[in-house]
Amino acid sequence: MDRVQIFDTTLRDGEQACGCSMTVPEKLRLAAQLEALGVDVLEAGFPAASAGDFDAVSGIARRVRSASVAGLARARTADIETASRALDGAARPRIHTFIATSFIHRTRKLRLSQQEVLDSAVNAVRLARRYVDDVEFSAEDATRTEPEFLCEVARAVVEAGASTVNVPDTVGYAIPVEFGGLVARVVEAVAGRAVVSVHCHDDLGLATANSLAGVRAGARQVECTVNGIGERAGNAALEEVVMSLRVRQDQFGLETGIRTREIFASSRMLAECITFEPQPNKAVVGRNAFAHEAGIHQDGMLKDRATYEIMDPKDVGVPESQLVLGKHSGRHALRYRASELGCPLDDGALERAYAAFIALADRKKWVSNEEILSLVRRAARGEASVSREGMERTE
Ligand code: KIV
Ligand code: ZN
């Protein structure tokens, strides 16, 4: 119970998002990287959705050995049979079957009664268990489902043979305290007979916070995606969940099996396969996640990186922190960069170089190494003069 399983759905829920579709060879390459990353469960696709999805799930099932490979299936006979065929040859196959349980989905989308939804869920799990030992059931739109009904469904699917019960916040509607409360009720309902899982979407920017609240309430599987890609605003980001559990071990006392040094490589590989990069300020994997521009921060970093960094970038596979030289930077960082570039500066040259640097930085978003080298060389030769503005900066 001190281990949280990481269920990666980059290749299924992630791929469903706009601009994220991937070819079969891309999915195979990413699956190998996700295995190297150490995910416990790799959801490879939705086999009944298309021939391409079937082929991707089938190829991944035959190659991946250390992670369980999951195929998604609606609570329908044909979907479950297709998923079981796609998973043929998997070392650890999992059928992940789902049906929506909320009032709005039952009445407006499915046009089914509570009893019909309950029966479909139970029948789907029973059928899936004829093919595989490992069956996960998801109650789609769980967070807008009547809690008593959700618990009734959870108990019934466990009785039918599900070993994981997933509580999806399908529309990203929950807030952490409420979500934690709901997960606690499901944990109580299944009473240790199945793993409770959480699956959060980021419509309100709360997917990671909600996932962690779920873990606090007893969930021991988190469903997430690399770079947080996924339907609409995305899913909980794997790197955020994993690093939160690791950096705040003091709060959670839980571990994952993720080799965190593979996080950045996984993020890069995904960005190369889809049409967009993570936003620059994206936690853990964004271009600026370990970049410091403000003079006061750079000064602190040069003295002890723990002043402004809660993680060592190397722990997530990022080669090093960056001190970005821009108009907020100070003399310490400029002197440090000049020596890194092979041009150490004495105090006089530093003042000249700093004045020239600030004049340039005020006109630009940042100053490149080439520009810095050129201005520090000129300062070292005594060519630049000190401006008033440069003198006023203090760091
Ligand atoms: O968001 C959701 O409800 C899903 C389920 C299929 C698990 O992706
Ligand atoms: Zn989802």
Side-chain angles (χ1 to χ4, degrees):
M1 293 309 277
D2 55 3
R3 166 86 188 261
V4 175
Q5 294 192 42
I6 298 298
F7 176 115
D8 180 274
T9 184
T10 308
L11 303 182
R12 198 281 295 171
D13 216 342
E15 205 227 359
Q16 275 175 225
C18 307
C20 294
S21 62
M22 294 170 228
T23 62
V24 175
E26 284 169 338
K27 282 188 162 190
L28 292 176
R29 204 154 64 87
L30 271 162
Q33 176 59 32
L34 292 169
E35 196 177 17
L37 178 64
V39 304
D40 298 284
V41 187
L42 197 167
E43 188 163 55
F46 186 176
S50 70
D53 248 35
F54 184 96
D55 291 344
V57 176
S58 167
I60 292 168
R62 280 184 274 111
R63 283 172 180 77
V64 166
R65 297 290 94 181
S66 60
S68 301
V69 176
L72 186 70
R74 285 166 295 187
R76 294 185 186 176
T77 304
D79 273 28
I80 292 168
E81 288 171 351
T82 306
S84 92
R85 279 201 307 280
L87 291 169
D88 205 27
R92 291 199 263 150
R94 174 180 292 193
I95 294 180
H96 177 194
T97 187
F98 74 99
I99 189 165
T101 50
S102 66
F103 177 77
I104 182 159
H105 280 240
R106 286 188 326 254
T107 56
R108 312 292 296 172
K109 183 180 83 171
L110 301 173
R111 300 186 201 286
L112 294 176
S113 67
Q114 276 194 348
Q115 190 58 48
E116 285 166 327
V117 165
L118 184 69
D119 292 344
S120 298
V122 166
N123 291 337
V125 170
R126 282 203 188 118
L127 177 63
R129 277 301 304 269
R130 286 207 217 138
Y131 297 108
V132 293
D133 289 337
D134 185 1
V135 174
E136 169 169 340
F137 173 79
S138 284
E140 190 189 6
D141 205 19
T143 50
R144 293 191 299 170
T145 300
E146 304 87 327
E148 302 71 31
F149 181 53
L150 181 64
C151 291
E152 189 184 346
V153 172
R155 277 189 294 269
V157 294
V158 171
E159 198 59 42
S163 41
T164 306
V165 177
N166 186 31
V167 184
D169 184 24
T170 304
V171 289
Y173 174 72
I175 61 169
V177 67
E178 172 194 36
F179 188 63
L182 185 67
V183 170
R185 288 184 69 162
V186 176
V187 168
E188 197 188 332
V190 307
R193 293 174 299 149
V195 173
V196 174
S197 169
V198 289
H199 174 115
C200 299
H201 281 266
D202 210 27
D203 300 67
L204 294 174
L206 293 171
T208 298
N210 281 333
S211 303
L212 296 173
V215 167
R216 267 233 192 266
R220 287 296 175 267
Q221 175 177 283
V222 177
E223 304 197 356
C224 45
T225 60
V226 174
N227 295 350
I229 66 166
E231 285 280 10
R232 306 178 309 279
N235 286 61
L238 179 148
E239 59 277 7
E240 294 175 13
V241 171
V242 168
M243 291 314 289
S244 297
L245 292 174
R246 180 171 163 147
V247 171
R248 298 313 309 272
Q249 246 273 340
D250 60 322
Q251 287 291 314
F252 293 98
L254 295 166
E255 287 180 354
T256 71
I258 295 296
R259 296 177 198 99
T260 60
R261 284 172 184 251
E262 293 292 332
I263 284 179
F264 190 61
S266 309
S267 165
R268 294 310 316 148
M269 189 184 286
L270 174 65
E272 281 158 21
C273 292
I274 60 173
T275 56
F276 55 90
E277 297 275 325
Q279 72 212 45
N281 60 333
K282 168 79 187 62
V284 186
V285 294
R287 192 175 67 222
N288 291 351
F290 297 97
H292 308 265
E293 181 176 326
I296 294 168
H297 293 208
Q298 292 180 336
D299 180 44
M301 283 290 295
L302 290 171
K303 289 171 176 150
D304 181 346
R305 51 162 289 277
T307 52
Y308 286 100
E309 277 183 355
I310 57 164
M311 299 170 251
D312 184 336
K314 291 195 176 62
D315 284 348
V316 295
V318 172
E320 56 192 9
S321 314
Q322 274 176 283
L323 299 187
V324 177
L325 290 182
K327 69 173 185 180
H328 305 107
S329 306
R331 288 173 178 74
H332 288 126
L334 182 62
R335 192 198 283 271
Y336 185 79
R337 179 66 56 83
S339 340
E340 275 187 328
L341 295 171
C343 192
L345 297 172
D346 62 26
D347 289 351
L350 177 64
E351 286 308 323
R352 289 191 292 279
Y354 189 67
F357 163 72
I358 286 300
L360 183 61
D362 264 342
R363 301 197 309 269
K364 304 191 66 183
K365 300 284 181 216
W366 65 77
V367 182
S368 70
N369 277 347
E370 290 71 30
E371 290 164 325
I372 288 168
L373 199 52
S374 139
L375 68 85
V376 296
R377 279 189 181 138
R378 271 187 282 118
R381 291 196 299 268
E383 284 176 24
S385 61
V386 180
S387 77
R388 243 178 98 73
E389 193 184 18
M391 293 297 288
E392 279 160 10
R393 308 269 166 155
T394 50
E395 292 303 321

